[in-house]
Amino acid sequence: MNIEFQINALRDELREHNYNYYVLDSPTISDFEFDMKLKELQKLEGEHPEFYDANSPTLRVGGMITKNFETIVHEHRMYSLANSYSKEDLEDWEKRIQRNLGDVPVEYTCELKYDGASISITYEHGELVRAVTRGDGFQGDDVTTNIKTIKSVPLRLKGDYPEKFDIRGEIVLPFDGFAQMNEERVANGEEPYMNPRNTASGSLKLQDSSLVAQRPLECLLYSIVGKNTNISTQFEMLEKARAWGFKVPTVAKLCKTTDEVLEFVEHWDTNRHDLPYETDGVVIKVNNLQHQDELGHTAKSPRWALAYKFKAEQVFTVLNEITYQVGRTGAITPVANLEPVLLAGTTVKRASLHNADQIAKLDIREKDTVFVEKGGEIIPKIIAVDRSKRSLDSEPVQYITECPECHTRLERTDGDAKHYCPNEYGCPPQITGRIQHYISRKAMDIEGLGGETVELLFKEGLINDYADLYDLTKEEILPLERMAEKSAENLINGVAASTQVPFERVLFALGIRYVGETVAKKLARAYKNIEALKIATLEELTAVDEIGERIAQSVVAFFANEKNRNAIERLMLKGVQFELSADKLKNQTDVLTGNTFVVSGVFETVSRDELKKMIEDNGGKVGSSISSKTGYLVAGDKMGPSKRTKAEKLGIPIISEQDFLGML
Ligand code: AMP
Ligand code: ZN
């Protein structure tokens, strides 16, 4: 028989068995037979490297090593989901949708919210070409080699799939697989993993893909994005993806009313413990994709979807001791150190107590038996104390008056619930915290340097602020604990590469209090470079759209401080970006400043998202629904009728795509 033919036939056969076993859960041959066939294929491929196929089933066993995960910009952004916790939240959401779409019937697809690591996988001509983590939503890490080892991820598709698309899903670790991994770890004298979610997401970043192959990970898919996919509803999307060979959970349900949605939520709130994976809620999505498009997104999440979080789980345990943490801004957070207890699938050892008021309000004391709750957030909280179990010699907590790290007297300003250590530039966790923030993913994203190394470098007296990072030499860091030639090089290269990070992220990285990612972008846009921002007055700053008094004061105070100005000066000499790149400036003007636009319908020459970007790039604002503040309604094809009526009633000019482009 022709060898190439034989190899391909074996590949097809193994693919089918993989699908039967991992996607359909119904194998048709024994594991032994499967292994024999796989070995045979491996042997043939080894003898005939000329028939190599990057998507052969033999690659499932892994073996490829990824040293650095390449950063990939998502072609379609990966959004978060807005959260809701009650029937009222759900009803408010529905009202907003109806207001936006007008009085058209709206259906909802309900799915479970799987708690793992999100992933976006690109397929071209039915072949898996790339898998990327969510990262910050704009860009993530290329983890293709690792994802290919997950058996329920098809490497080649079946049926009538679009030429090119991305599919979105969640990588999860089922409970029993997780338990088994932990048993093995404990048997080997290793610490067990904390919870399935973190273990799943940690797995994606393992360098050795054969280790990933050994973990019983699964990939559950829920969304397809791309052009010309020929899909018109969310529910149809799930069915099609399933037909192409993806593992798409079958619990999804199409609901006609919010009552039906609530029924679904209640059902799974009680029955979720029978599922093989961790879930933390239900995701409700407007079913019609044209409606989805019409509703669009906020800065963070789609308006057409909502995560309805399940009720938090609760448990009793003993509070052993209260300790205090100092954050990068000097804020003090009291932490409850608990007798370890199992809660919602994870072992809980610590809980945040927030601030002194919280401790006083609940009258929490050391050695108390406390009621701990874990909701959507990672850190659990204490919600009550069982006084009946309190011993007679128990004493109220004396809140600390001095910083536990540098012994400076703590301050508390009116209106702020937290105590602060004012020793901004002398208090170790504030110094390292600022540097850790600077290097973090969403800020300078310095590869080869992690939080622990920052602490080590600081302890060794090698760095005292973020500008010092750029003066580090290989000779200086090589003698450090656990620092090898290669890691030292990576660190130095990572720092050097950060000089290419764009200005708006540098601005965020500086760690100005209240200047988060979005505010940093606004300020960068408004001032274009640091020199202009440095001399901005309180009045000028508050005149910038969405910059309030509190942020403005913080910015002015930051630049008034000589230490900060020095650090910036030094960063500048090292080549860090302190102005918007020419590229960004090119398409930006102020011609639309002061105008709010609502965009509706489908457009001819640009996509809706491009149009919105053009509005923002030219100083305008994008509104979501029509109000008296709307300047123009940009109307495309198939625009919602209620928007038109409303705009006409309020006398708001309705303009076409061409009119709009003409304004620029
Ligand atoms: P959050 O990170 O809490 O904003 O929630 C958004 C994340 O939920 C997404 O990035 C997905 O990874 C995850 N997710 C889990 N299940 C689903 C689902 N059925 N539909 C959409 N997103 C989901
Ligand atoms: Zn301190």
Side-chain angles (χ1 to χ4, degrees):
M1 201 191 339
N2 174 324
I3 290 289
E4 183 175 12
F5 180 83
Q6 199 184 342
I7 288 181
N8 281 330
L10 260 176
R11 283 177 180 159
D12 285 344
E13 198 188 338
L14 286 167
R15 251 181 219 121
E16 199 55 33
H17 288 311
N18 249 326
Y19 175 73
N20 290 337
Y21 188 101
Y22 291 103
V23 179
L24 301 183
D25 283 329
S26 62
T28 55
I29 59 169
S30 71
D31 290 1
F32 178 75
E33 282 170 289
F34 182 89
D35 284 343
M36 293 318 285
K37 285 181 195 291
L38 189 69
K39 287 224 169 74
E40 190 184 340
L41 177 59
Q42 271 170 330
K43 179 168 157 280
L44 288 175
E45 286 183 345
E47 289 164 3
H48 297 276
E50 67 273 29
F51 301 128
Y52 176 80
D53 174 356
N55 281 336
S56 167
T58 50
L59 294 163
R60 299 288 197 188
V61 294
M64 294 249 277
I65 306 282
T66 315
K67 270 275 167 354
N68 285 308
F69 294 94
E70 198 187 335
T71 305
I72 304 279
V73 176
H74 294 297
E75 190 176 335
H76 308 273
R77 174 157 168 209
M78 291 180 84
Y79 285 92
S80 293
L81 290 169
N83 285 330
S84 67
Y85 301 89
S86 66
K87 185 166 175 243
E88 289 68 39
D89 290 348
L90 176 67
E91 285 166 354
D92 287 347
W93 179 66
E94 189 198 20
K95 274 191 213 124
R96 280 198 300 277
I97 286 173
Q98 290 289 2
R99 200 173 336 121
N100 246 300
L101 295 176
D103 267 328
V104 292
V106 179
E107 293 185 327
Y108 304 93
T109 294
C110 291
E111 297 162 31
L112 289 176
K113 187 168 189 294
Y114 303 99
D115 206 8
S118 29
I119 192 80
S120 176
I121 316 179
T122 306
Y123 285 83
E124 281 174 23
H125 309 293
E127 301 267 347
L128 188 159
V129 294
R130 191 180 300 116
V132 183
T133 61
R134 178 163 92 169
D136 63 0
F138 296 98
Q139 54 181 42
D141 292 320
D142 185 336
V143 290
T144 312
T145 349
N146 286 343
I147 292 298
K148 280 188 178 179
T149 68
I150 301 174
K151 319 290 185 295
S152 55
V153 175
L155 302 178
R156 176 169 298 161
L157 303 180
K158 323 149 144 312
D160 190 16
Y161 41 77
E163 204 171 283
K164 179 173 191 267
F165 64 92
D166 290 353
I167 189 159
R168 302 278 161 85
E170 197 82 358
I171 306 289
V172 295
L173 194 52
F175 287 123
D176 54 358
F178 176 71
Q180 202 182 327
M181 276 175 70
N182 268 347
E183 266 171 39
E184 282 166 24
R185 284 184 74 82
V186 173
N188 291 336
E190 294 165 310
E191 273 279 303
Y193 290 117
M194 287 283 275
N195 64 50
R197 189 214 357 223
N198 292 357
T199 315
S201 71
S203 303
L204 300 188
K205 297 294 288 288
L206 289 176
Q207 296 197 335
D208 180 353
S209 62
S210 62
L211 294 180
V212 187
Q214 288 163 20
R215 298 191 172 182
L217 298 162
E218 292 220 28
C219 181
L220 308 173
L221 286 316
Y222 49 74
S223 169
I224 290 161
V225 287
K227 297 204 171 93
N228 308 322
T229 52
N230 218 350
I231 298 173
S232 54
T233 69
Q234 176 67 29
F235 203 75
E236 185 191 345
M237 191 185 278
L238 300 177
E239 287 176 327
K240 288 214 159 145
R242 201 173 290 130
W244 301 334
F246 292 104
K247 183 149 191 161
V248 178
T250 48
V251 297
K253 182 168 180 242
L254 188 59
C255 295
K256 290 203 160 41
T257 61
T258 39
D259 282 341
E260 277 181 47
V261 170
L262 283 170
E263 242 170 66
F264 184 90
V265 173
E266 271 155 35
H267 173 81
W268 285 109
D269 199 354
T270 33
N271 290 290
R272 65 181 150 134
H273 303 289
D274 301 332
L275 290 165
Y277 335 95
E278 199 155 357
T279 52
D280 59 348
V282 167
V283 185
I284 309 154
K285 299 172 185 170
V286 170
N287 192 42
N288 184 320
L289 298 193
Q290 206 180 312
H291 287 165
Q292 289 191 2
D293 199 36
E294 182 82 8
L295 291 163
H297 299 83
T298 67
K300 292 214 171 91
S301 49
R303 287 198 191 85
W304 44 264
L306 190 68
Y308 194 118
K309 292 294 184 82
F310 289 135
K311 280 190 289 293
E313 293 186 49
Q314 301 165 334
V315 72
F316 277 112
T317 190
V318 173
L319 192 177
N320 289 328
E321 191 195 2
I322 295 175
T323 52
Y324 299 85
Q325 262 176 6
V326 188
R328 83 173 152 92
T329 58
I332 306 290
T333 304
V335 179
N337 295 272
L338 307 168
E339 195 52 40
V341 61
L342 200 67
L343 175 59
T346 65
T347 305
V348 171
K349 293 181 189 151
R350 288 144 60 88
S352 167
L353 291 170
H354 302 287
N355 51 53
D357 293 346
Q358 183 77 5
I359 294 177
K361 199 173 94 198
L362 294 173
D363 183 22
I364 295 176
R365 304 180 185 185
E366 290 185 334
K367 307 285 176 266
D368 269 350
T369 295
V370 293
F371 205 37
V372 186
E373 174 179 291
K374 189 157 180 282
E377 60 291 311
I378 301 170
I379 303 169
K381 56 181 177 224
I382 293 181
I383 49 169
V385 172
D386 185 350
R387 302 243 169 92
S388 69
K389 297 223 172 73
R390 182 175 281 170
S391 76
L392 290 172
D393 56 1
S394 149
E395 300 258 357
V397 169
Q398 293 293 329
Y399 205 79
I400 51 168
T401 51
E402 276 183 5
C403 173
E405 303 281 344
C406 72
H407 307 291
T408 305
R409 223 186 145 67
L410 298 181
E411 286 176 0
R412 191 183 201 184
T413 44
D414 288 342
D416 209 334
K418 288 215 177 241
H419 287 73
Y420 283 88
C421 165
N423 187 11
E424 226 178 307
Y425 295 94
C427 180
Q430 296 193 55
I431 297 171
T432 52
R434 253 193 316 272
I435 304 174
Q436 283 160 343
H437 169 74
Y438 183 84
I439 67 165
S440 67
R441 245 207 111 95
K442 292 183 176 180
M444 303 302 270
D445 191 17
I446 297 189
E447 285 229 12
L449 179 57
E452 281 177 31
T453 311
V454 167
E455 271 166 29
L456 191 61
L457 290 168
F458 169 74
K459 250 203 258 143
E460 295 293 326
L462 292 172
I463 53 173
N464 211 39
D465 66 25
Y466 33 64
D468 291 338
L469 291 172
Y470 296 82
D471 292 330
L472 287 173
T473 64
K474 206 167 125 187
E475 291 67 40
E476 272 175 335
I477 57 178
L478 258 181
L480 296 184
E481 216 180 307
R482 273 177 301 161
M483 186 65 73
E485 183 86 18
K486 190 80 200 147
S487 36
E489 255 166 41
N490 285 345
L491 196 164
I492 303 281
N493 292 341
V495 170
S498 73
T499 53
Q500 298 311 310
V501 169
F503 176 48
E504 59 267 29
R505 271 172 54 199
V506 176
L507 199 51
F508 170 60
L510 293 179
I512 307 173
R513 198 184 282 184
Y514 309 130
V515 177
E517 266 181 291
T518 320
V519 172
K521 272 191 196 144
K522 292 242 151 70
L523 289 173
R525 230 203 83 78
Y527 286 91
K528 315 250 183 320
N529 61 57
I530 199 97
E531 297 303 332
L533 183 61
K534 226 185 325 201
I535 53 171
T537 63
L538 211 59
E539 294 71 44
E540 283 163 7
L541 281 162
T542 43
V544 176
D545 196 29
E546 281 169 55
I547 304 295
E549 190 87 4
R550 193 178 65 139
I551 300 174
Q553 266 167 6
S554 164
V555 171
V556 170
F558 181 86
F559 288 108
N561 187 313
E562 203 188 314
K563 285 215 171 60
N564 294 329
R565 284 206 309 270
N566 274 339
I568 291 172
E569 201 72 22
R570 288 172 56 215
L571 290 174
M572 228 178 242
L573 288 173
K574 297 291 177 185
V576 171
Q577 305 295 314
F578 279 106
E579 55 184 25
L580 279 186
S581 66
D583 218 32
K584 282 238 167 72
L585 283 171
K586 198 172 64 197
N587 296 315
Q588 296 195 350
T589 71
D590 291 324
V591 295
L592 303 180
T593 302
N595 289 305
T596 302
F597 295 78
V598 170
V599 178
S600 178
V602 183
F603 300 92
E604 258 170 42
T605 50
V606 288
S607 76
R608 188 206 300 268
D609 284 341
E610 278 160 0
L611 209 145
K612 288 183 177 171
K613 189 164 174 302
M614 285 164 88
I615 294 172
E616 286 176 347
D617 281 350
N618 291 287
K621 237 171 112 170
V622 180
S624 62
S625 61
I626 308 235
S627 72
S628 57
K629 295 204 186 87
T630 309
Y632 299 92
L633 171 61
V634 192
D637 201 23
K638 299 191 195 139
M639 180 180 81
S642 69
K643 285 212 170 106
R644 178 175 292 274
T645 326
K646 192 148 184 209
E648 279 166 356
K649 214 160 76 197
L650 293 170
I652 288 157
I654 303 175
I655 60 173
S656 71
E657 179 180 354
Q658 291 315 318
D659 296 335
F660 171 76
L661 294 173
M663 292 170 90
L664 306 176

